[in-house]
């Protein structure tokens, strides 16, 4: 793994610190600030807004109630008008069914010229009192006049061909009569009569057989609209009742308004207290996070510098041990000390192992930061390139390799290469079967799961017991106790650091081939 990483990161300066302190400082300073804290006046503004909204709602209800009171007053006036109309219709029908009414002739009731064609329009009683026939319209007009004088309710019969010219329609009545001709049976509206508000209501007057005595000579037939009966009810008394403000209603609304404001204020205080507590907790959390990030930055920087400065002594140890071994080889056999030569070999091996550990530490520190632009990568092409470099190892181990179509991954290319190299190297180093007669197999597969790209590298090796599958992702943890330069126990931790830096997951599962499967997921979002 050391040689491969050296090639992969040659252009990145592996010997130098891989994560600069300025980058860590910027990361520390970029902790999300309290945008909420910069809006200290927000609760007060919300409280005022809700109070205004509540006041507007109460006022709106008051005006709506006033409007409904006016509407109810108009409805009551309309019902009264219909009642008067029904009374007039009943009186007219009674008179029509009796063929009219004979009444004494006086100054107010003169013989009706429109009934001159009737033979017995005028008669006399045995005592000599002169009587004249009043047709229903004539009778109703007088009754309406009396009713208006007594109660202020105006009544009127009108039509386009009245027997009495005084019953000719005015402008509003003419419009209503035209609506009756189009099928309407009732028309009403609020209007001013001599400056006084009235509800004017008119209903259609339909001819029946009793009407033909007077109207047949005008060409009317049973079922025709003769005209209309109108009633005008004064609204003043209704409107005065509406205009009077009910103190009890106003008091009730005032109490509701004050109670609502009190509830809003109490809730506002509670919210403000919670906001202040949240601000204090948030400020404490931000300070704690800054302390943690600052401490991590210093520790990381210390580890980088330590690893950087340890690299040179280890290089010198290897170099000087090799030089001393060379000198011992050139010495005569009687002067050569084999024990010293073996000690130098051990020293060289341990120095090389220490150098590899220092490099692995540098790689682990750098694994959490992208090296270049994070974007969508062609994993098929990347794995094919890595397999060319592993071709000789695969042939020596006689590995049977299976590679499926792999989905693209969102990551910077350098770390994606490192990630697959670590896992493939791990499979070749620890995933080969123990039985010499078994054919080694490695299967690389992938799939899309929602917005995740999931990859699986499986082998048919000895596997890893369940209780150790989390432990192998810890730094410098190995399941073997052999003290060899290879296998420092940092490959899988580096892989986890790369995956988790992208908010992905990595873990171990049982392999379909009988060994172990390393499964990791990378999300699409950056």
């Amino acid at each position: 793994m050391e040689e491969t990483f050296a090639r992969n990161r040659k252009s990145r300066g592996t010997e130098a610190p891989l994560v600069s302190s300025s980058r860590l400082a910027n990361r520390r300073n970029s902790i999300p600030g309290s945008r909420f804290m910069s809006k200290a006046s927000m609760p007060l503004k919300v409280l005022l807004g809700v109070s205004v909204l509540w006041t507007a709602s109460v006022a709106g209800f008051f005006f709506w109630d006033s409007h409904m009171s006016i509407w109810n007053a108009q409805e009551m006036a309309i019902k009264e008008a219909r009642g008067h109309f029904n009374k007039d219709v009943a009186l007219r029908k009674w008179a029509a069914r009796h063929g009219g009414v004979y009444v004494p002739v006086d100054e107010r009731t003169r013989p009706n010229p429109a009934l001159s064609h009737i033979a017995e329009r005028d008669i006399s009683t045995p005592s000599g009192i002169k009587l004249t026939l009043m047709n229903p319209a004539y009778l109703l007009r007088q009754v309406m006049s009396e009713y208006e004088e007594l109660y202020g309710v105006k009544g009127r019969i009108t039509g386009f061909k009245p027997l009495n010219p005084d019953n000719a329609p005015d402008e509003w009545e003419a419009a209503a009569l035209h609506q009756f001709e189009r099928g309407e049976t009732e028309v009403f509206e609020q209007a001013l009569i001599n400056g006084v508000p009235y509800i004017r209501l008119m209903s259609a007057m339909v001819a029946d057989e009793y009407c033909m005595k007077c109207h047949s000579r005008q060409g009317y037939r049973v079922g025709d609209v003769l005209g209309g009966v109108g009633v005008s009810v004064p609204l003043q008394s209704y409107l005065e009742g509406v205009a009077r403000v009910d103190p009890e209603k106003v008091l009730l609304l005032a109490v509701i308004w004050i109670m609502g404001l009190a509830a809003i204020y109490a809730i506002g205080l509670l919210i403000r207290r919670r906001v202040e507590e949240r601000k204090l907790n948030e400020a404490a959390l931000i300070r704690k996070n800054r302390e943690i990030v600052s401490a991590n930055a210093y520790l990381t920087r210390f580890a980088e510098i330590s690893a950087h400065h340890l690299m040179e002594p280890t290089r010198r140890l290897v170099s000087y041990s090799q030089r001393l071994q060379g000198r011992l080889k050139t010495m005569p056999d009687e002067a050569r000390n084999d024990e010293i030569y073996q000690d130098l070999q051990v020293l060289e091996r341990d120095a090389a192992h220490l150098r590899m550990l220092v490099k692995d530490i540098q790689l682990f520190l750098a694994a959490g930061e992208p090296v270049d632009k994070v974007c969508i990568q062609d994993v098929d092409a990347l794995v094919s390139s890595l397999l060319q470099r592993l071709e000789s190892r695969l042939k020596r181990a006689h590995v049977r390799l299976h590679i499926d179509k792999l989905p693209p991954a969102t990551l910077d290319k350098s770390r994606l290469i490192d990630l697959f190299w670590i896992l493939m190297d791990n499979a070749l180093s620890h995933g080969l079967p123990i039985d010499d007669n078994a054919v080694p197999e490695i299967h690389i597969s992938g799939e899309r799961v929602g917005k995740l790209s999931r990859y699986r590298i499986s082998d048919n090796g000895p596997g890893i017991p369940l209780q150790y599958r989390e432990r192998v992702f810890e730094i410098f943890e190995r399941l073997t106790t052999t003290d060899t330069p290879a296998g420092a126990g940092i490959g899988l931790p580096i892989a986890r650091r790369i995956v988790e830096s992208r908010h992905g997951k990595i873990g171990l599962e049982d392999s379909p081939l009988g060994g172990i499967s390393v499964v990791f997921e990378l999300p699409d979002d950056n």
Side-chain angles (χ1 to χ4, degrees), residues 295-309:
N296 286 340
Y298 287 127
L299 289 174
T300 303
R301 182 62 177 166
F302 174 78
E304 291 172 348
I305 294 174
S306 299
H308 177 66
H309 288 288

Side-chain angles (χ1 to χ4, degrees), residues 32-38 275-289:
S34 179
R35 291 180 293 178
F36 187 78
M37 292 176 62
S38 65
V275 168
E276 290 174 353
E277 292 176 357
R278 179 177 175 180
K279 285 159 54 179
L280 292 175
N281 293 335
E282 190 178 58
L285 181 61
I286 289 174
R287 287 195 300 270
K288 193 68 176 179
N289 285 341

